[in-house]
Structures are given as C-alpha cells and as structure tokens.
C-alpha cells in the first residue's frame, strides 16, 4: 500500500511553555553561566557584570515590542527574513534568509565542538577511554538527527526535561549562596554605576548579548504553535524575561560566592573551571560532579533546539525553490521537515569533517570562531528587523500604536546598533583570533547575504524577461523573490 502523500505545511500544537523550553534551551543557560559569565567578569566589567544582563535584556525587550507587533501581520514561520522582506523588500528579505541560515548553522557547529571536548574530558575523568572529540560530536549529531527527524512535540519534551535539570542545579546554588552568603557577604556591585562602568563595559555587553542567542527563534515555530498570534508574542517576552532574570541572578551569585575582588582573579585564572569549583565548594563533590554532567545535557539541548531552527529555515527556503524543493516537504506521519532535517545533519557532518581535517581545536577555535560568527550574524539580523518594523508600519498604517510601531523599535535599533558596533570593534577578541581571521569571518557572512540578494535579483530579472508574475504560495519566500 502506498504511503500517503507528503504535505508541505508544518503542523503541531505547541503552547507557550513548549516554545519557551525550545528557545531557552537554545540559549544553553548552564553553558552560559559556566563559560560566558566568567569571561564577562574577567574581561568585562568585573563584579558589575550581572547588571550588564539587565541592560542587554532591556535592549532586547525593546526589539521584541516591534517584533511581536509584526506577528499578526506576517502569518509565516520565517522569523527574521519574513519580517525583513515585509519592511525592506524582497531582495533584502532573501539576503536575510541566507544570512540567518549561515548564522544558525554556525552556532550549531560551535556547540558540536564544545560538546565533543566536554564529553571527551568527562569520560576520561571517570576512567573511560580517551577517544578523539569528533567521536563524541558525531554521536551527538546522530541523536540530534533522529529527534529532529521526528515530530516536534518529542523534541519539546526532551528539551523541557533537560532544561529543568540544568536550571535546577544552578538555582539550588543561587539559593545556597543567597542564604549562606559568600566570602564577603552578598555583592552589591551590580547596583553601583561606578562598578558597572568599570573595566571594559563594552566587552561585557558584547559577551552578555551573545548569551541571549536563540530567544528570537520563537517565530520559527509559528506553524506548529497552537494559537500563533498569542503564543509567539507571549513566548518571546517570557523567554527573554526568564533568560535575563536567570543570568542576572546566577552571575550575581557567582560574584557573591567569591567576593567582588577575588571573583575577577579567579575568573581570569580559570574561566572554564570556576563554576565547577564554586559548585563543589557550596554543594559538595556530588554537586560539582552533577554540574559537569548537566553541562553536557545543556549543550545537547542547545544542539537539538538550533537543529530544529535551521531545519525550519531550510524548509521555508525549499518551499520557495531557493534551496532544493524536496527540503520543503513534510513527513506524512511526523509532520516534520524531515528532509530539511536530514540535509542539516549531513551539512553539519561535512563541516565538522572539514574542521577535524584542518586540525582545529574544538573549544578555542571551532567553538570560539563559530559562536562569534553567530553573535555577529544575529545582531545584524535583529537590527535589520527593527528597521523593517518601522518602515512596514509607517508605510502600511496597519498598526498606529506609537510605542509598538515606532518608539520601541527605534530605541531597540539604537541599542542593538551600539551592541553591533562594540561587537565589530572587539570581534577579534570575541573569536579569540586575529584581525585577519575576523575580517575573513565577516566576509563569509557578507557572502551569504550577497548570495541571497543575487538569487533574488536573478529570479526577479528572469520573471520580468518571461513576462510572468510571481504567485503567492505557502511560503513567504515566494513573495520575497
């Protein structure tokens, strides 16, 4: 008996909680507290670093106001690029689509490098064989591929369970520090403007903004949401507030645990191990060991979440014929973008193979370079989205609320623009490499954007030459190009 025909529409019944789990898991909160927070303290504004998360969260909330206002007027699951094309045109829209594809692929590759190295160290620590890190990265890739191929509800359940575990252990630590106090009591540095402005606050903002990467992917799951016009905005605001609150509280607890002066020294001396050391001091050996294990599950949750995002971008591009049309098909039983998911797994495997063949270090090179690439790409996409929101509402008058359609987006654009300038100026530091490498990475992102623009222009010229008009289809990218 023949299988039912495949459908070209994603389906699901994700609620606010499921989508929040998806995007908060993508932010990898335990990984941020273990890795980014110590670096932000050491290189940024020291004991005042927790306040930087509040500042960045405020910028992103301003961005979210316009982003969510557009939701009811852009009934598609393309997120950034559909918003950009509505406001700034078809050519810029497809350029943004390819930039988004490169950006989220980069962050996924970063996490594959990190999880490979982390698993390798964990296995050796507990007496296991010393296998190369790519073995563990490929094993994680295979498991992510299986879950990504299946129904989105399964991924949301897995992510929810992993997220509760990683957040839970950090919140226990936060509570113990708050009740017990640290070396010098509880820190108040984050409340003092002089402390927040000390050191290099620009670098602190750069690392803090990178920690929110993934929250904006709420709109990618629009087609699989139960009530998208309400679910997506609520999930966006809730995810932002939860991420920002968690990072602020946990970074403050880490500072308090050591004291304002000592934490900077400890973070500078051992940025990768300070959290485990602190956990062991406050929660005992079991707490430290459990944190090491949960760091792996945090990375896996981020992998799975970003895999789902990339697959859905590829699905939309496949529906528009900007990528192979087969990638725009859905599984007859799972309702998932299974072929786009398989393509994403295959591309990740190939790129990992390139990194291994080049002999790159999984943390200082693969992770650092790709995470920096993703941070820069997302900032460009968010800035374009803010601009698109303003242009769209000024042109269409579809929503005349001044705060939602002009003031908040403009303020968000100003804040994100400042973050973008800081990121570009400090990009060599963010990727841990040279200025030449930074320019090369920036060139790759520009090239992806240019490919999308060139494809849009070529298709527009071809349509004009044949006298055909574009016909709207399921995918917003039919209108984009």
């Amino acid at each position: 008996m023949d299988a039912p025909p495949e459908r070209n529409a994603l389906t699901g019944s994700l609620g606010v909680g499921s989508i929040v789990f998806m995007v908060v898991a993508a932010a990898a909160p335990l990984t941020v507290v273990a890795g980014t927070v110590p670096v932000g303290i050491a290189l940024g504004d020291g004991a005042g670093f927790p306040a930087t998360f509040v500042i960045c969260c405020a910028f992103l909330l301003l961005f979210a106001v316009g982003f969510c206002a557009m939701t009811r007027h852009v009934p598609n699951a393309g997120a950034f690029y559909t918003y950009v094309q509505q406001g700034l045109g078809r050519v810029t829209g497809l350029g943004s689509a390819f930039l988004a594809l490169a950006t989220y692929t980069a962050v996924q590759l970063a996490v594959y490098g990190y999880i490979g190295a982390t698993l390798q160290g964990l296995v050796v620590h507990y007496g296991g064989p010393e296998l190369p890190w790519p073995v563990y990265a490929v094993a994680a890739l295979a498991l992510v591929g299986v879950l990504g191929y299946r129904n989105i509800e399964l991924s949301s359940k897995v992510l929810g369970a992993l997220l509760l575990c990683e957040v839970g252990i950090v919140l226990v630590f936060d509570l113990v520090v708050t009740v017990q106090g640290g070396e010098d009591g509880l820190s108040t540095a984050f409340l003092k403007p002089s402390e927040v402005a000390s050191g290099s606050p620009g670098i602190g903002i750069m690392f803090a903004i990178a920690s929110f990467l993934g929250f904006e992917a709420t709109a990618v799951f629009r087609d699989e949401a139960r009530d998208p016009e309400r679910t997506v905005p609520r999930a966006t605001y809730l995810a932002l507030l939860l991420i920002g609150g968690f990072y602020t509280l946990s970074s403050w607890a880490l500072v308090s645990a050591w004291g304002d002066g000592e934490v900077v020294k400890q973070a500078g001396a051992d940025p990768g191990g300070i959290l485990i050391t602190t956990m062991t001091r406050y929660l005992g050996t079991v707490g430290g060991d459990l944190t090491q294990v949960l760091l792996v599950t945090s990375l896996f949750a981020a992998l799975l979440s970003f895999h789902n995002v990339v697959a859905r971008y590829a699905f939309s591009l496949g529906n528009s014929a900007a990528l192979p049309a087969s990638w725009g098909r859905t599984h007859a039983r799972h309702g998932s973008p299974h072929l786009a998911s398989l393509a994403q797994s295959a591309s990740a495997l190939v790129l990992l193979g390139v990194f291994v063949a080049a002999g790159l270090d999984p943390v200082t090179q693969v992770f650092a370079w790709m995470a920096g690439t993703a941070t820069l790409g997302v900032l460009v996409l968010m800035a374009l989205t803010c601009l698109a929101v303003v242009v769209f509402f000024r042109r269409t008058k579809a929503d005349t609320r001044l705060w939602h359609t002009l003031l908040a987006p403009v303020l968000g654009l100003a804040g994100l623009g400042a973050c973008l300038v800081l990121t570009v100026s400090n990009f060599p530091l963010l990727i841990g490499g040279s200025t030449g490498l930074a320019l090369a990475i920036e060139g790759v992102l520009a090239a992806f954007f240019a490919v999308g623009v060139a494809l849009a222009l070529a298709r527009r010229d071809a349509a004009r030459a044949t006298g055909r008009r574009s016909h709207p289809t399921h995918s917003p990218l039919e209108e984009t190009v």
Side-chain angles (χ1 to χ4, degrees):
M1 182 183 229
D2 293 336
E6 293 181 316
R7 298 168 288 116
N8 291 328
L10 297 173
T11 59
S13 58
L14 297 175
V16 173
S18 295
I19 295 179
V20 168
F21 277 136
M22 291 276 189
V23 298
V24 175
L30 178 56
T31 303
V32 168
V33 176
T36 305
V37 168
V39 175
I41 291 172
L43 301 180
D45 38 354
F49 183 65
T52 309
F53 285 119
V54 178
I55 295 169
C56 291
C57 188
F59 289 158
L60 295 175
L61 283 169
L62 290 170
F63 161 82
V65 172
F67 184 75
C68 293
M70 284 280 281
T71 300
R72 65 180 61 195
H73 304 288
V74 187
N76 306 107
F80 283 136
Y81 70 81
T82 53
Y83 291 68
V84 172
Q85 74 93 16
Q86 287 288 337
L88 304 182
R90 301 172 180 179
V91 173
T92 309
L94 192 55
S96 298
F98 274 78
L99 176 58
L101 195 62
T103 295
Y104 287 116
T105 297
V107 73
Q108 195 180 23
L109 290 170
V111 182
Y112 275 124
Y114 204 159
I115 197 171
T118 303
L119 270 172
Q120 180 190 47
L122 191 64
V123 170
V124 171
H125 176 74
Y126 287 107
E130 191 168 350
L131 300 176
W133 71 265
V135 172
Y136 299 104
V138 171
L141 189 151
L143 184 54
V144 166
V146 170
L147 291 171
Y149 186 91
R150 295 175 61 84
N151 187 280
I152 189 69
E153 297 285 352
L154 177 59
S155 290
S156 70
K157 291 175 182 177
V158 171
L159 290 172
L162 295 180
L163 181 63
L164 289 174
C165 291
E166 66 174 289
V167 169
I169 187 71
V170 179
L171 288 179
V172 169
F173 163 73
D174 295 345
L175 178 62
V176 170
V177 171
T178 302
V179 173
Q180 181 178 321
E183 291 293 326
D184 302 318
L186 298 177
S187 174
T188 58
F190 76 106
L191 297 174
K192 302 174 182 177
S194 60
E195 292 284 348
V196 178
S198 67
S200 301
I203 293 176
I205 287 176
M206 182 181 68
F207 281 103
I209 204 78
S211 304
F212 287 86
L213 188 65
F215 88 90
E216 74 292 334
T218 50
V220 173
F221 301 101
R222 180 187 176 91
D223 286 349
E224 295 149 291
R226 189 177 301 130
D227 181 7
E229 289 192 8
R230 294 184 179 182
T231 300
V232 171
R234 289 175 181 175
T236 303
Y237 286 124
L238 185 57
L240 257 181
L241 292 171
L242 287 175
I243 293 172
F246 179 80
Y247 290 162
T248 303
L249 173 63
S250 301
S251 57
W252 168 79
L254 185 62
V255 170
S256 295
W258 291 94
D260 293 350
E262 185 64 22
V263 73
V264 178
K265 297 178 184 178
Q266 294 293 333
D270 186 19
I274 183 175
L275 181 67
I276 304 300
T277 301
T278 312
M279 285 285 198
T280 303
R281 286 179 60 193
Y282 279 83
L283 302 182
T285 303
V286 173
D289 290 345
L290 185 58
T291 302
Q292 285 184 296
V293 173
L294 290 175
L295 181 58
V296 174
T297 66
S298 173
L299 291 166
F300 179 78
L303 277 178
L304 180 56
S305 186
F306 279 116
H307 176 92
N308 285 328
V309 171
V310 176
R312 279 148 185 80
Y313 266 102
F315 171 83
S316 291
L317 288 165
N319 263 330
S320 74
L323 289 177
S326 60
W327 294 8
R329 299 175 187 167
T330 56
H331 194 279
R333 181 158 60 92
H334 300 306
S336 63
H338 61 304
L339 295 178
S341 175
L342 289 174
Q344 164 59 15
S345 297
S347 67
L349 183 62
V350 170
L351 289 170
L352 278 175
V354 171
F355 293 153
V356 172
L360 299 184
D361 181 86
V363 177
T364 61
Q365 293 176 313
V366 176
F367 176 77
W369 295 0
M370 293 297 99
T373 301
T375 301
L376 182 58
V378 164
L379 280 171
V380 172
L381 288 166
M382 285 196 290
L384 284 172
T385 301
C386 282
L387 183 59
V389 168
V390 174
V391 173
F392 173 79
F393 286 117
R394 298 283 70 74
R395 185 181 69 243
T396 65
K397 308 297 182 185
D399 189 333
T400 57
R401 293 175 296 175
L402 191 62
W403 172 251
H404 292 77
T405 64
L406 180 62
L407 295 181
V410 167
L411 291 172
L413 178 60
L416 291 169
C419 293
L420 182 57
V421 170
L422 288 171
T423 300
V424 171
S425 60
N426 292 284
F427 197 55
L429 174 63
L430 183 60
I431 64 171
S434 65
T435 301
L437 176 63
L439 291 173
I441 289 176
E442 290 164 358
V444 169
L445 290 175
F448 268 88
F449 185 86
V451 167
V453 168
L455 179 60
L457 291 173
R459 295 178 67 178
R460 186 180 67 184
D461 291 343
R464 287 175 177 173
T466 57
R468 291 184 290 106
R469 292 173 176 250
S470 61
H471 297 279
T473 63
H474 164 76
S475 171
L477 284 181
E478 288 292 344
E479 300 173 10
T480 306
V481 297

